[in-house]
Amino acid sequence: MGIVAGLDSSPDFTRIVVCDTDTGAVLRQGYAPHPVDPPEGGRPSDIDPQAWLLSLGEAAGGGLLEGVQAIGVSAQQHALIPLDAHGNTVRPALVGGDRRAQVAAADLVDALGSREAWAHAVGCVPGAAQPVTKLRWLARNEPENARRTAALLQAHDWLVWQLLGRPARRTTDRGGASGTGYWSATTGVYRPDLVELALGHQAMLPEVIGPSEAAGTTPEGLLISAGTGETMAAAFGLGIGLGDAVVSLGASGSVMAVHPEALADQSGMITSLADATGMHLPVVTTQNAVRTLRGTAELLGLPDLEGLSELAMKSTPGAHGLVLLPYLEGERTPNLPHAAGTLTGLRRESMKPEHLARAAFEGMLCGLADALDVLRGRGVEVRRIFLLGPAAELPAVQAAAPSLFGAQVVVPQPADYTAIGAARQAAWALGVSGGTLDPRTPPAWQGAAAQVLEPGEELAAGQAVRQQFTAVREQTHPGAFQ
C-alpha cells in the first residue's frame, strides 16, 4: 500500500488529505487558515504568496506527510503571480474577481473586437477574475510593475515550483492554463499575442504538461504531480465522467459537465475549460443562486435558509402561480447585466409567505436549469447531476431539483473533494512513473458517498414549472437566449 497527499490551497485556508493510493481512502488530514486578515466586506485583492507557503507548512505539521510518496497541488483559480527576470514576485498576487479589473475586461473585449472573437480565440470572454484581465489592469495602473514582469504563474503553478525548489523549468497543467484567457482549450496552445495585447510585451509562460505527468521530484525523492485549479481538482475528486454535470450553489451558481471536446461558444455564455484527465469542462455561470434565497429570507423576516426551506415546503410545485425571475444582481446566463428581479402571478390566493418562499427556490433552480440547457443545446450529455454547496442539503432544494433539472440528482456527503482530487492526481502520476498505471487512465478510486434523488412522479409537475418560468422570461426579456 502506498500513500499520497493532496493539497487544497483555497482563498482562505490550506487543507491537506493523505490518501491510500489504491482506494482513495482518506487516512489523515491537516488544516490551517491563511495568515491574512480580509478587509471588512470581502477578501483582499492583493496577497503575498508567502502566506500560502506558511499555511501549507502549518497544515503539514505533526508528521502529517510522513511516508507520503507523491503530492498533488490544487489551488484557487485566477490568482496571478507576476515574476521578474530573477523569479521574484514583482508585486503581491492579484486574486479573486477583482472589481478593479472590470474596466480592463471591457478594454480587452474592445481591443480584440468582440466577445465572440475572445470566445473563438481562447474559449472564454475576459471577466474581472481572469489573469489576462489582471495583466491589462497592471499595464494601465502599475506600468513600472508591468514593465518588470518577465514571467507569469498562477497559484498552483507557483506552489509546485516552490515545492520543487524553484527549478529553471516552470510548469502548469491544461486545466489551470485554460482559465488564464491566453491558452486555448480547443487548440491546446498559448496565445502569446493576447499576453502582449494585455501586458504590452511578452512574458515567459509555464510549460503545460499532461494530466498524468510529474512536474518533478524534490531532492528528498517526493514526486510532485502537475497540479491543477480547484474546479478541475474537485471534479476529479468527485469522480465525474461523461454524462455527469455539477451544479454548484454559492451566492452565484455554476454548471459544468464533462465533454470530450472543447466548446467554442460565440455567445460567450460557455467558458471552455480543460479538466484534469484530458477531457473538457464547459462551464456556464449564473449571477444569482443562493443570494436569491437569502434576499427572500430577509424579505420574509426569516433568520436563515433552513427557515425559508421549511416555509417553502408548505407550498406546492408552481407556488400557486408565482414566478420569480431571480436576476437580482443582473444576470450572466442569459446575458442581462442590467436586469432586476421580476415577480409575476400575484393574485390574492398566491400572496402568502410560503408561496413566495417556494417561488424563490423554483426561480433559483430554473435559472440553473437554463444554464444546463445551454450545455445540452451544444450536445453535452447530462444524465446525472451532482449538487454541491451547503444549500444542496435544504429539503426544498432536494424536493424540487430532480423534476426541474429533469435528471437524477446526486448530493455528495460533505468532503474536501478538491484536496481528494489533487491526491488522486498524485497517485496517477506516481503509478505512471512506476509503470503500474496507464497514462491515459486515472486510478479508480471509491466514488463519493451520496444521496441519490430521482425525478419520479414529480417530473411532469417540474417540467410544467419550467415552462411557466420560460414563458415569463421570454415575455419579460424576449430573445434573451438568442
Side-chain angles (χ1 to χ4, degrees):
M1 182 183 74
I3 57 174
V4 292
L7 187 156
D8 169 20
S9 182
S10 84
D12 299 315
F13 60 82
T14 297
R15 192 183 302 278
I16 301 174
V17 297
V18 176
C19 299
D20 169 58
T21 55
D22 296 325
T23 67
V26 176
L27 308 175
R28 303 190 292 267
Q29 297 185 58
Y31 169 88
H34 291 328
V36 292
D37 295 319
E40 188 173 343
R43 297 190 180 100
S45 297
D46 299 320
I47 290 290
D48 183 349
Q50 293 296 327
W52 306 331
L53 281 182
L54 291 171
S55 176
L56 191 165
E58 185 178 346
L64 182 78
L65 299 180
E66 185 176 345
V68 165
Q69 297 162 281
I71 292 179
V73 176
S74 65
Q76 59 182 299
Q77 287 162 239
H78 299 145
L80 178 70
I81 302 102
L83 304 178
D84 65 18
H86 304 289
N88 300 315
T89 53
V90 169
R91 67 173 322 280
L94 288 155
V95 303
D98 194 336
R99 289 185 178 273
R100 295 177 299 182
Q102 287 178 333
V103 173
D107 284 349
L108 284 175
V109 171
D110 291 342
L112 200 60
S114 66
R115 293 168 57 87
E116 291 77 11
W118 278 97
H120 179 74
V122 289
C124 63
V125 178
Q130 275 141 330
V132 71
T133 306
K134 290 167 180 168
L135 289 178
R136 170 56 71 102
W137 180 90
L138 193 66
R140 291 289 184 266
N141 295 275
E142 299 178 2
E144 179 57 25
N145 284 335
R147 187 189 63 78
R148 293 175 52 219
T149 297
L152 304 173
L153 293 177
Q154 292 190 91
H156 91 262
D157 310 335
W158 188 85
L159 285 166
V160 165
W161 186 53
Q162 296 293 324
L163 289 172
L164 291 172
R166 296 165 58 102
R169 180 193 189 214
R170 302 186 185 105
T171 63
T172 190
D173 86 306
R174 54 195 294 280
S178 66
T180 59
Y182 43 80
W183 185 87
S184 169
T186 302
T187 62
V189 297
Y190 280 117
R191 288 289 302 266
D193 58 313
L194 298 181
V195 173
E196 186 167 357
L197 179 71
L199 185 62
H201 60 84
Q202 295 291 334
M204 289 186 63
L205 302 170
E207 177 188 346
V208 180
I209 62 175
S212 63
E213 289 185 61
T217 304
T218 69
E220 297 77 24
L222 187 65
L223 183 142
I224 309 294
S225 63
T228 195
E230 59 189 351
T231 298
M232 301 79 189
F236 199 36
L238 283 166
I240 68 171
L242 289 173
D244 291 335
V246 176
V247 173
S248 182
L249 299 177
S252 55
S254 68
V255 176
M256 66 179 178
V258 179
H259 198 58
E261 58 189 28
L263 295 179
D265 176 45
Q266 298 304 311
S267 73
M269 282 191 290
I270 299 175
T271 297
S272 188
L273 300 177
D275 79 347
T277 72
M279 301 286 277
H280 294 268
L281 279 178
V283 179
V284 179
T285 302
T286 67
Q287 186 69 28
N288 301 278
V290 175
R291 63 165 42 96
T292 303
L293 304 183
R294 296 201 182 282
T296 306
E298 290 175 11
L299 181 65
L300 293 173
L302 298 171
D304 52 39
L305 298 186
E306 287 73 19
L308 185 70
S309 174
E310 184 178 349
L311 185 62
M313 293 297 285
K314 296 177 181 178
S315 182
T316 54
H320 275 243
L322 283 187
V323 176
L324 176 64
L325 298 185
Y327 306 154
L328 307 183
E329 301 284 339
E331 189 47 76
R332 296 175 188 161
T333 307
N335 184 29
L336 299 168
H338 306 299
T342 302
L343 181 66
T344 68
L346 282 170
R347 295 181 177 85
R348 180 63 190 89
E349 63 270 18
S350 66
M351 295 177 71
K352 293 182 179 180
E354 59 266 31
H355 302 323
L356 178 57
R358 178 84 186 198
F361 281 96
E362 290 180 346
M364 175 190 75
L365 292 169
C366 283
L368 290 161
D370 280 349
L372 274 167
D373 284 349
V374 170
L375 294 178
R376 285 171 166 145
R378 292 297 307 279
V380 177
E381 184 181 14
V382 178
R383 296 191 307 269
R384 182 173 64 162
I385 296 168
F386 286 75
L387 199 57
L388 302 185
E393 303 287 337
L394 296 172
V397 169
Q398 296 189 4
S403 62
L404 293 177
F405 292 159
Q408 182 186 84
V409 170
V410 178
V411 184
Q413 290 184 0
D416 197 325
Y417 295 105
T418 304
I420 291 169
R424 190 179 178 203
Q425 187 194 64
W428 193 8
L430 182 66
V432 169
S433 71
T436 60
L437 287 178
D438 188 314
R440 297 163 297 181
T441 308
W445 280 11
Q446 297 168 345
Q451 183 180 5
V452 178
L453 309 168
E454 299 286 355
E457 296 178 356
E458 297 292 323
L459 180 60
Q463 294 309 293
V465 172
R466 281 290 317 277
Q467 289 173 5
Q468 188 176 35
F469 179 91
T470 301
V472 171
R473 188 196 68 223
E474 282 301 303
Q475 183 178 9
T476 310
H477 304 285
F481 275 105
Q482 290 180 2

